[in-house]
Structures are given as C-alpha cells and as structure tokens.
C-alpha cells in the first residue's frame, strides 16, 4: 500500500471554522489523507480563513508567502485557501498569490474531493458557490474514531441581520438551519465516540428554526431533544443575537438540567445612537431588560459578550454609555475589538473615528472587563462546581477541565481520567484559571 498523503490544516476565526476544518479533514480522509501537525511534511496545506477584521484577512497572505520555499522544494505540494477570505476574495487570491492551487468557500466543502483531484491533475480549482444541498449531510461519511469529551456541532449557518460593520452575511450567506433529525443523529454519534459536552454552533444560533417531526423546531426545542440523549452531559450554544432570545430559550436556562449556565450574548455597544447606526435593532435598555429576564430564570448564569469600539461616529459620550452598560451587566467574559473597516459593508463609507482615540477606548474597556472577569472568577472560591476534565495539566498528576461556567479548573488528582465529570471544591483563583480539590 502507498504511504498516506499528509494534510496540514490551519484554522483561523470562529468555532464554526474549527468545526468545518474537522469536516474538511474527514472529506479528504476519503482521498487517502491523514492529518499532520506540521506544514513541512504536508502534501496539502489548507488555510481555513477568517475575514471578520482586516488583520485576520491580511494574515492569510503573509502565511501563504511563507510557503514559497516549501513549494519550491516540493512541487507536488498543493496549497488551498478555505473559509471566509476564500468566499470574499475568490479568484483574486490566486491572482495575488499564484502558489495557491485551490480556493473553496464555506458552503462548498463537500466538493473538496473532486477539487483535490483537479489540483492533482495540475489544474487550479475554485468553488465559491452557495449550493442548495446540505454540505454537512454530504460530508457525513466520517470515520468512527474516538474523540475528546467536548465537541462543536453546527446547527445553523449564515446570517440575515446585516449589522453595518459585518462581513458574515456576505461570506456565509443567508441564514439556513439544519433539520433536527440530522443534528440529533450527529449528536448521538458524537456521544458514542466519547463526547460528553456539545456546543451547538451558528452565526445566529438562537434564530435556529430547523425542520422537526412536528414542523419547525426552535433552538430550545432542539436543546430539549438533546437533553434526552443518554451519555450527553452538557449542552452549550453560541453565538446568540439579543433579538432572537425567545421566551422558550430563556425558560430552558432555568429548567433544562443539561443546559449550562453560560450565555454569550453580544451587544456591541451601549449607545443607542451607535446601535442604531450599527443596524443592531435592539437598544441598550432592551438588552439590559433581556438580561434581567435571563437572570431571573437562572440567577447564577455567567454572561459573555462582544464589543466594538471606535465604530464610525462614536463619541466619547457614546463610549461612556458602553462602559456604563458593562458596569451594569458585569460580564464573566467579554471580547472587545477596535472597529475594522470591511470593504463592501455599509459602515465602511462613513466618517472614521481617530485611531488613537479608538485605541485608548479599547484599553479602558478591556481594563474594566478584565476587572469584572476577575471578580466573577474570584467569587468561585469556596464554591463547589462540576468539572468536565479535558486534558492533563502541566504538573504531575494534574488534570484540567471546565466548570459549568466555562472557567478552567486545575485539580491534582491522578485518579481522574479525561472525560470524567466530578465535583470540585474551588480553593484558589489564579490569573486565568481556578484550582480546586475533588470533593
Ligand atoms: N454572529 C455573531 C458574531 C459574529 S463576528 C454576533 O452577531 O454577535 C464576532 C464578533 O466580531 C462580533 O460580535 C463583533 O464584535 C466583531 N466584529 C465583527 N465585525 C467587526 C468589524 N468590522 N470590526 C471589528 N469587530 C468586528
Ligand atoms: Fe454579523 Fe450582525 Fe450577523 Fe452577527 S448578527 S453575524 S454581527 S451581521
Ligand atoms: Fe471569521 Fe467567517 Fe467566522 S469571517 S468569524 S471565520 S464566520
């Protein structure tokens, strides 16, 4: 038998890209590829890219430039670009960097095997269509390999919200939900392979409305179905839009035992003027009231969010409104970004904020967020949490896992195995993680 060919995939961007990279590796597995951790011994290199901010997109070209020497040494090496930069720039990528053999958009991964064959025949392969078929269904012939205790599962893709700063509606297309039976089948398969926690993914996951046995199912409906899967212990989902936080989903946070008390609910800004200009269709007040209702259903829930500072026309006063909102919510985690102009989006045409003012605001926001994050993490000391252990730690006998609130927890206890779910009493709070002892 011939040596298997080696595939190196580098993933940028969001969790959906992580999920997609796994699917691409499986699709190319059927063509005789096995994954390698090093680009140097690869027969094919795939960059699964992100277009969300300018820096993310530009990284791809500098990374590609680094493969020049490798390609010169190994003329048979094939180089491909997948993901959102592939979708946004298409053919332009091959023009700008001729060593690229293959460009595949996020909706066309099921066509990778044919595309790979084309590159082996010495041709370039490009596919950035938005086909009607469910690519994940076409990709389902996956090997039944054992897996770690946590997994992502994409349930919904694309977005129809068109926030004025965002490329996702263009790179991922309009919103589509996968049918519930396929998701449940995939979840059961993951559980059989060792998975105990599933994070449901979608650019707008709480807008999920896939076909179910009795008509359309909501995300809450899907979560309740997953709640019945034996062996599955934890359910999470990300990313949600405030406008799609339906009553049944809020209620599920209080009643569904496998649904974890953690919610990523980006608000982007605390200023109603800016929110309006962002086309976010919620106000800071409607967002705060929503959080009140969520906390009424699940008082210990840890909130997480995303922020953009320096959005066009943001004044110091607008920024202060963001700081006030953060002060009120107190996020356990939050991700904040300086606004990045994305060509083709409505905000790109508007008056930009002075970059230094934006840097300064970002710094202040991050300092505040870090303080809250730390306070919430510190408040775990003395409490008992349940930890799903994922990997060994750096010290002898140490294991690391996640609490229900998504905090990393270190425990020294050699009797723990990966995949164990154990009660832990938290004794210490460090910079980025907690430490505790088995109960
Ligand atoms: N669908 C999700 C997130 C998509 S992108 C949502 O609606 O929240 C992830 C985050 O990147 C966004 O929440 C936003 O904070 C940030 N982001 C998106 N476009 C950006 C841009 N042009 N500049 C800076 N940050 C951006
Ligand atoms: Fe982008 Fe807005 Fe859609 Fe989120 S909701 S993916 S930020 S357009
Ligand atoms: Fe980036 Fe595309 Fe995800 S732009 S954040 S990889 S949807």
């Amino acid at each position: 038998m011939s040596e298997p060919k080696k595939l190196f995939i580098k993933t940028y961007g969001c969790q959906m890209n992580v999920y997609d990279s796994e699917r691409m590796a499986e699709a190319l597995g059927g063509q005789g590829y096995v994954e390698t951790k090093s680009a140097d011994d690869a027969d094919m290199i795939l960059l699964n890219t992100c277009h969300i901010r300018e820096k993310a997109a530009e990284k791809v070209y500098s990374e590609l430039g680094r493969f020049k020497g490798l390609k010169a040494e190994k003329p048979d090496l094939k180089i491909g670009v997948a993901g959102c930069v592939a979708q946004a720039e298409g053919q332009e990528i091959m023009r700008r960097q001729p060593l690229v053999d293959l460009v595949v958009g996020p909706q066309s991964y099921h066509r990778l095997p044919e595309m790979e064959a084309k590159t082996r025949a010495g041709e370039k392969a490009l596919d950035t269509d938005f086909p009607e078929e469910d690519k994940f269904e076409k990709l389902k012939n996956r090997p039944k390999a054992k897996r770690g205790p946590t997994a992502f599962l994409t349930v919904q893709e694309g977005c129809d919200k068109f926030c004025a700063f965002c490329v996702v509606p263009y790179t991922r297309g309009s919103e589509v939900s996968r049918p519930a039976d396929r998701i449940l089948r995939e979840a059961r398969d993951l559980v059989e392979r060792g998975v105990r926690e599933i994070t449901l993914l979608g650019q707008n996951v709480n807008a999920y409305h896939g076909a179910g046995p009795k008509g359309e199912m909501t995300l809450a409906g899907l979560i309740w179905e997953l709640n019945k899967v034996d062996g599955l212990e934890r359910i999470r989902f990300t990313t949600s839009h405030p406008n799609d936080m339906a009553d049944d989903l809020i209620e599920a946070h209080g009643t569904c035992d496998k649904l974890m008390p953690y919610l990523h609910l980006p608000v982007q800004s605390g200023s109603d003027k800016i929110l309006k200009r962002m086309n976010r269709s919620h106000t800071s007040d409607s967002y705060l009231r929503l959080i009140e209702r969520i906390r009424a259903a699940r008082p210990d829930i840890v909130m997480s969010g995303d922020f953009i500072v320096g959005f066009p026309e943001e004044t110091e006063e607008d920024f202060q409104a963001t700081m006030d909102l953060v002060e009120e919510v107190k996020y356990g985690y939050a991700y904040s970004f300086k606004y990045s102009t994305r060509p083709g989006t409505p905000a790109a045409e508007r008056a930009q904020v002075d970059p230094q003012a934006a840097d300064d605001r970002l710094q202040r926001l991050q300092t505040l967020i870090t303080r809250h994050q730390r306070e919430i993490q510190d408040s775990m000391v003395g409490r008992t949490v349940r930890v799903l252990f994922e990997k060994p730690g750096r010290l002898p006998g140490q294991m690391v896992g996640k609490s229900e609130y998504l905090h990393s927890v270190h425990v020294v206890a050699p009797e723990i195995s990966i995949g164990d779910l154990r009660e832990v009493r938290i004794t210490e709070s460090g910079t980025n993680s907690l430490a505790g002892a088995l109960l």
Side-chain angles (χ1 to χ4, degrees):
M1 230 176 78
S2 63
E3 278 274 297
K5 287 176 284 183
K6 290 195 176 137
L7 170 68
F8 173 74
I9 306 188
K10 186 160 179 176
T11 308
Y12 304 83
C14 62
Q15 290 107 326
M16 302 199 69
N17 266 9
V18 175
Y19 179 83
D20 287 349
S21 290
E22 289 172 6
R23 302 292 81 74
M24 288 194 273
E26 287 165 3
L28 288 170
Q31 306 296 106
Y33 280 91
V34 294
E35 269 195 271
T36 168
K37 296 251 178 276
S38 142
D40 294 339
D41 57 29
D43 299 289
M44 174 171 256
I45 295 175
L46 269 182
L47 300 184
N48 193 9
T49 62
C50 173
H51 201 245
I52 204 80
R53 283 168 290 273
E54 190 182 354
K55 256 199 208 128
E58 280 306 310
K59 233 189 258 166
V60 176
Y61 289 100
S62 56
E63 186 77 31
L64 284 171
R66 263 182 262 153
F67 298 139
K68 258 196 192 131
L70 212 56
K71 184 114 173 174
E73 272 169 42
K74 255 178 137 176
D76 279 347
L77 169 68
K78 302 298 175 198
I79 296 180
V81 178
C84 292
V85 176
Q87 190 63 45
E89 298 186 5
Q91 192 111 47
E92 172 68 13
I93 299 174
M94 292 172 172
R95 204 192 53 75
R96 216 175 131 181
Q97 184 44 274
L99 60 73
V100 173
D101 301 286
L102 179 156
V103 172
V104 59
Q107 301 311 328
S108 306
Y109 296 150
H110 51 298
R111 296 182 182 157
L112 261 178
E114 303 146 45
M115 295 176 76
E116 187 269 349
K118 206 167 159 193
T119 65
R120 291 286 153 212
E123 289 173 56
K124 300 246 177 199
L126 170 83
D127 194 335
T128 52
D129 284 352
F130 285 103
E132 286 291 306
E133 68 250 31
D134 179 351
K135 67 170 179 203
F136 297 126
E137 197 50 19
K138 298 253 152 123
L139 286 169
K140 77 175 178 212
N141 291 328
R142 47 194 64 163
K144 297 276 174 190
K146 199 88 184 112
R147 303 201 30 143
T150 65
F152 293 132
L153 202 174
T154 294
V155 303
Q156 177 275 337
E157 274 199 288
C159 180
D160 297 332
K161 297 272 194 294
F162 291 94
C163 298
F165 49 81
C166 183
V167 294
V168 171
Y170 311 96
T171 61
R172 294 276 173 166
S174 55
E175 207 201 293
V176 180
S177 295
R178 298 177 66 198
D181 59 341
R182 294 184 189 167
I183 296 165
L184 289 164
R185 201 195 313 134
E186 193 170 325
R188 284 190 210 102
D189 174 66
L190 287 168
V191 169
E192 273 168 33
R193 291 157 61 195
V195 169
R196 307 196 76 190
E197 172 182 298
I198 291 180
T199 303
L200 306 175
L201 298 180
Q203 268 92 14
N204 231 304
V205 71
N206 57 345
Y208 176 83
H209 57 101
K214 296 183 211 122
E216 271 190 6
M217 206 179 244
T218 60
L219 184 67
L222 184 65
I223 289 169
W224 280 110
E225 286 305 310
L226 285 164
N227 204 52
K228 294 181 202 155
V229 174
D230 279 338
L232 179 64
E233 302 291 343
R234 292 178 157 187
I235 304 164
R236 302 181 185 276
F237 60 89
T238 197
T239 294
S240 298
H241 191 286
N243 281 18
D244 293 313
M245 227 30 234
D247 292 348
D248 61 349
L249 189 56
I250 296 175
E251 198 188 307
H253 272 288
T255 48
C256 182
D257 58 315
K258 293 183 185 173
L259 184 59
M260 291 295 104
Y262 173 94
L263 179 64
H264 186 60
L265 195 65
V267 64
Q268 312 298 355
S269 168
S271 151
D272 289 342
K273 176 192 102 187
I274 294 297
L275 286 170
K276 199 160 182 167
R277 291 184 192 181
M278 285 177 163
N279 192 30
R280 283 293 291 185
S281 61
H282 55 77
T283 62
S284 64
D285 192 52
S286 68
Y287 179 81
L288 289 171
R289 276 187 283 121
L290 178 61
I291 292 192
E292 259 172 40
R293 288 173 52 216
I294 296 163
R295 284 189 168 143
R298 181 77 204 223
D300 63 339
I301 199 160
V302 166
M303 294 301 304
S304 146
D306 289 346
F307 294 88
I308 294 178
V309 302
F311 185 77
E313 299 165 67
E314 183 189 73
T315 61
E316 184 55 32
E317 199 185 344
D318 294 319
F319 174 69
Q320 202 47 56
T322 299
M323 295 288 274
D324 293 346
L325 180 139
V326 169
E327 197 62 81
E328 187 149 349
V329 175
K330 294 200 170 46
Y331 292 91
Y333 303 83
Y335 308 88
S336 43
F337 313 96
K338 190 163 93 160
Y339 170 69
S340 168
T341 309
R342 308 311 292 129
T345 59
E349 311 295 321
R350 302 182 195 158
Q352 307 291 312
V353 167
D354 167 48
Q356 236 157 2
D359 278 332
D360 175 64
R361 288 175 198 165
L362 185 63
Q363 192 93 57
R364 278 143 67 201
L365 178 60
Q366 289 183 339
T367 305
L368 182 63
I369 287 169
T370 310
R371 202 184 78 214
H372 292 156
Q373 197 164 318
R374 190 61 207 253
E375 281 168 14
I376 292 172
Q377 195 190 289
D378 290 351
S379 74
M380 296 288 157
V381 175
R383 286 179 59 179
T384 299
V385 295
R386 271 165 79 76
V387 177
L388 177 60
F389 287 95
E390 294 176 15
K391 56 181 188 213
R394 266 174 300 163
L395 304 179
Q398 192 187 46
M399 293 291 284
V400 191
K402 293 270 166 62
S403 77
E404 43 283 70
Y405 309 103
L406 220 55
H407 288 123
S408 277
V409 180
H410 291 73
V411 176
V412 177
E415 68 268 37
I416 301 173
S417 305
I418 290 174
D420 283 358
L421 192 60
R422 306 282 290 261
E423 303 235 296
V424 172
R425 187 160 177 86
I426 301 300
T427 52
E428 243 179 277
S429 174
T431 322
N432 286 311
S433 64
L434 297 165
L438 283 188
L439 215 64

